[in-house]
Amino acid sequence: AWKIRIGCVAVVMFGLFFGLHRMGLAFAEILLLDAMIVLCIVLFWRVSRPGVLMLAPYCAWVSFAAG
């Protein structure tokens, strides 16, 4: 379920940025996506440390791409 949510947020961001050229809304969507990834990292820490290690580069890339 978490993959679907993060995927939907990412798709909306691409639509806002590339399709509608709404840079401000796309940036807000990127911040939401980053917050969701961090939340997943915090929640998954107790469940699967390898899973957290796989999400960390994604979080770093989203943060880098937003800047």
Side-chain angles (χ1 to χ4, degrees):
W2 62 271
K3 288 189 268 187
I4 294 170
R5 287 187 205 121
I6 289 177
C8 288
V9 171
V11 167
V12 169
M13 186 275 304
F14 284 118
L16 287 170
F17 186 80
F18 294 110
L20 300 175
H21 303 285
R22 302 288 305 260
M23 305 310 168
L25 286 176
F27 184 70
E29 190 73 18
I30 288 173
L31 294 178
L32 175 65
L33 177 61
D34 217 10
M36 290 176 69
I37 296 167
V38 169
L39 179 63
C40 282
I41 287 172
V42 169
L43 293 175
F44 290 1
W45 182 255
R46 288 184 253 155
V47 178
S48 174
R49 302 253 166 103
V52 168
L53 293 176
M54 287 187 266
L55 280 172
Y58 181 50
C59 185
W61 170 249
V62 169
S63 299
F64 173 76

